[in-house]
Structures are given as structure tokens and as C-alpha cells.
Amino acid sequence: MALLNEAEAQHARGIALEQMGRLAEARAAFEAAVALMPQRALFHHSLARVQRFSPGDPRLAAMLALARRTTTLPEAEQVHLCFALGKAFADLHEDQRAFRYYLQGNAVRRRAMQHNEAVALDFLQRIRRHITADVIAAQRGHGAASPAPVFILGMPRSGSTLVEQILAAHPEVFGGGELRHFGAALAAVGDAWGYPEYVATLPAAHLQHIGARYIDAMRAIAGPDAARITDKMPTNYLFVGLIRLALSNATIIHTRRDPIDCCLSNFTTLFAPGRLAYSYDLGELGKYHRAYDALMRHWHDVLPGVMLDVQYEALVADFETVARRIVAHCGLQWDDACLRFHEARRTVRTASVIQVRRPIHTGSIGRWRGHEALFAPLIKGLGEEI
């Protein structure tokens, strides 16, 4: 028991250091956890996130040895081991072998999750049906007027953490991270359920209360001085119309990425248990992304000029130009600190914690090309023609 407790403590320390951007120290802590309990796949997975594998790496050999008795591991451990091996072989550019492990790990995780694809897709369609331009026009003018909130939203793994890190480097911005404050504000006034149908008849007082409670919650974490406070909960894309009604001067930034790159990044990321069930099946992932994309086009149609689209590939290709556009959209003066986003010492608690600690790069763009046959269900779900 003492050995287990020490290993768990080292692992927890590694997670905290990883979130703070102290990656070398995080790696050392994860290595200590693995040394203490080499049979724990979770520890191997955490270490794999913060290291790059090279040919002959003894850590890969250790994971492959553990994989030979996969069926004796609990399902959660099987998933961690598959994702760790997928990361290792991706580092070695053995893409087909990496993808086979990702397929295996995703299949195990998906079987353990409750997800009704038809209900999920219908929900996105209902939002489009019930929050129309006429509804927004009729309900406009009742929300909180504060310009402080900046919503950064879009599909997970589309660049939202990078955009927030750029803004958080600005001296007038507080980076809030992935917050649940908007949903909590809805719940606090009794409006967490019945969305989206109730938006058309929502009393003006409720819109005022939602906005006011959200602002109060944001100020509680950011303090009174921040001119802008970011909220990068990606799934706030479900509420763009309601956000605009409850917070009439909020800034909204939509991060976008090549659909296949975005979906594959989701598929090769192990999210927190219970989250994003659609991301563990290629076909479901493709269809969900297509429905999400239709919803975002709808928001542009009913709220013209409100939401700034930031294309990840454009940001990588011409970083300063797009970064300046992002800062200007928030109503702020440019600050060169935004160019050094990777040096910011704030804590990051998302799946992109490693990427935002490094300078901008193009390594994650188009890696799927040449391997289309491996993920045909995704391409079919997206409705793409390659």
C-alpha cells in the first residue's frame, strides 16, 4: 500500500507540474511513478504525453511487454495503454501501427460510455430550428452589458487553447480556461433544462439574471481589474445565440481547423471519463462534426458579424497577422507579449497543455494524408471527398 501511495503521489505531482508548464519536472515525476509501479498503464500514458519516443526506447519495450497481457488489465487501464502505445508509434512515424492501437483503445472506451447518436444529432438540429433570427430579434436588448467576457469556442482540438494563450499573454486579459459558469448561470435561474425550445419565451428578467450571475462568477475568479476574461469551454458553441442575448457585449471567437485533422486529433486524445462520447467512434465523430459545422453556419446567419472565425491553419501560417486580428476583435490594443504566448506561466488544464508550451509549428497539419484508407468511416461521416 505504501508503494501504491507513493506512486500515486508522484503521478499527481506530475499532473500538477504538467499543467503549470514545468514539463521536464513533470516527466521526472511520471518516470518515478512508472519505476515504482511499472504495471500501471495510466502512469505510462502520462509519461508518454510529455516525452518523444525514439527507436529502441526502453519505455516502448516495457509498454509492449505490458500489452502482451492486456486482457488481464481493467478496461480503463487497457485504454490508457493503447493510447500510450499510439502516441509512441506516432512519434516513430509508424502511423499504421499507431492507428491500430488508437482504434483498439477508442473501441474499449466507447463500449463503456452511454451515447445515443440520434439524440445528440437531433439536439443540434433543434437548436437551429428554435433559435432563429426572429427569436433573437424579439429577445434582444435584455442582457448584461459588460464587455469583459470573451468566449472561445468550437470543436475540441481546434485551436481554442492556443487562442486563449495568445489572449492570456495580454496584460489586460485574464485567462479563465474551460469554465462551466455559463451552464451554472442557466441552472441558477431554473433554465438549465428545456433548451433550446424555451429561448423564444424566456422572460427578460431571466436573461438579465443569467448575464449578471455569469459576470459575477467571472469577476470572482479574475478580480475587478481585468478588462477581458476568457472562457474557453469549447461546447459553449451550443449556446452562442443565448450567450449573445444574456451578454450583449460579449466577444465570441470560433476556432476552426481542417475537419479531418480536427477529428483525428479528437480520436487520438483521451478525454476525461464521460466526456465527448461521440469522439471514440470514427463514423459518429464524422457525423457529429458535420452537424456541428451546420450549427456554426447557422449562428453566422442569425448573428451576422458577431463571431470571429479563427482558422488554425491560417494562424499557424501567418501568426502575427491573425493574432492581431484576434486581439482587435476583443477591443484591445495590440501588445507584443501576445507573440510570446508559449512563455506565459499560467496553469493550463486541457488536452492541449503540451502544445501551448511550445512555439507555433505546423507539425500537426495534414498528417493524415496518405493514410486515408485507415479512417474511411470518418471521411464518410464527414461527407468529405478526398
Side-chain angles (χ1 to χ4, degrees):
M1 182 61 72
L3 191 64
L4 172 61
N5 289 341
E6 185 179 351
E8 294 283 4
Q10 288 286 357
H11 183 257
R13 180 171 178 270
I15 294 294
L17 289 165
E18 181 183 8
Q19 292 173 346
M20 290 187 288
R22 294 159 61 178
L23 300 183
E25 294 171 81
R27 176 175 175 171
F30 292 141
E31 286 174 341
V34 169
L36 288 164
M37 294 200 72
Q39 70 274 29
R40 281 297 306 275
L42 168 62
F43 300 162
H44 285 284
H45 186 200
S46 295
L47 178 55
R49 283 200 309 271
V50 297
Q51 77 159 77
R52 289 197 67 82
F53 290 82
S54 55
D57 195 313
R59 303 194 187 283
L60 176 55
M63 290 193 296
L64 288 171
L66 189 57
R68 285 194 283 272
R69 54 187 184 88
T70 299
T71 55
T72 67
L73 300 176
E75 285 194 344
E77 286 283 281
Q78 292 179 35
V79 173
H80 281 295
L81 184 57
C82 286
F83 273 76
L85 285 166
K87 164 62 163 57
F89 284 112
D91 284 350
L92 297 172
H93 300 286
E94 295 188 35
D95 294 323
Q96 295 203 20
R97 197 169 182 184
F99 200 68
R100 285 199 296 272
Y101 279 111
Y102 282 127
L103 282 171
Q104 182 180 339
N106 275 280
V108 175
R109 171 57 73 88
R110 179 65 183 85
R111 287 197 300 269
M113 301 186 77
Q114 298 293 321
H115 178 62
N116 187 315
E117 182 185 33
V119 170
L121 297 179
D122 180 64
F123 181 52
L124 299 184
Q125 293 171 352
R126 282 167 42 216
I127 296 171
R128 292 160 54 197
R129 287 199 304 269
H130 290 280
I131 307 181
T132 63
D134 289 343
V135 167
I136 288 175
Q139 293 284 59
R140 194 186 301 274
H142 304 303
S146 171
V150 178
F151 288 86
I152 305 167
L153 45 84
M155 280 289 286
R157 312 296 293 157
S158 63
S160 59
T161 304
L162 173 57
V163 170
E164 183 181 53
Q165 195 78 340
I166 292 167
L167 287 172
H170 194 287
E172 296 182 54
V173 178
F174 179 87
E178 293 189 0
L179 303 175
R180 302 183 183 275
H181 291 28
F182 192 76
L186 297 183
V189 296
D191 291 323
W193 304 104
Y195 181 84
E197 286 80 1
Y198 70 66
V199 174
T201 57
L202 201 59
H206 281 211
L207 288 169
Q208 294 166 1
H209 288 318
I210 292 167
R213 291 190 73 101
Y214 181 83
I215 295 296
D216 288 346
M218 296 293 274
R219 284 295 176 198
I221 64 169
D225 299 327
R228 300 291 184 269
I229 308 167
T230 61
D231 178 345
K232 68 154 296 282
M233 177 59 73
T235 50
N236 278 329
Y237 63 75
L238 298 167
F239 303 112
V240 169
L242 185 52
I243 287 170
R244 190 63 178 178
L245 293 175
L247 296 152
S248 54
N249 289 314
T251 299
I252 302 175
I253 298 171
H254 171 216
T255 55
R256 299 179 54 86
R257 187 177 177 186
D258 172 86
I260 298 178
D261 277 340
C262 185
C263 288
L264 287 178
S265 186
N266 276 265
F267 193 70
T268 56
T269 299
L270 185 59
F271 296 102
R275 291 195 62 203
L276 308 177
Y278 61 80
S279 70
Y280 297 103
D281 177 275
L282 286 173
E284 290 178 344
L285 179 54
K287 284 181 278 187
Y288 189 90
H289 188 285
R290 184 163 42 161
Y292 139 83
D293 193 53
L295 176 61
M296 301 316 294
R297 292 196 302 270
H298 172 76
W299 290 136
H300 275 299
D301 288 342
V302 301
L303 291 165
V306 166
M307 189 166 61
L308 174 69
D309 279 351
V310 175
Q311 190 72 34
Y312 175 78
E313 293 80 6
L315 178 58
V316 170
D318 191 359
F319 178 72
E320 183 171 346
T321 297
V322 179
R324 284 179 176 275
R325 192 177 303 144
I326 291 166
V327 171
H329 184 67
C330 296
L332 299 170
Q333 294 295 313
W334 174 252
D335 192 290
D336 283 342
C338 296
L339 298 176
R340 301 185 298 276
F341 67 91
H342 54 286
E343 298 175 1
R345 291 296 90 191
R346 57 185 290 267
T347 298
V348 178
R349 296 185 176 90
T350 76
S352 301
V353 60
I354 307 297
Q355 291 90 332
V356 296
R357 303 302 185 186
R358 296 168 178 160
I360 206 76
H361 62 88
T362 61
S364 60
I365 296 176
R367 285 191 62 178
W368 55 269
R369 296 190 183 277
H371 305 286
E372 293 85 347
L374 291 175
F375 39 82
L378 170 62
I379 296 173
K380 181 179 179 181
L382 285 169
E384 294 276 339
E385 293 184 3
I386 304 300

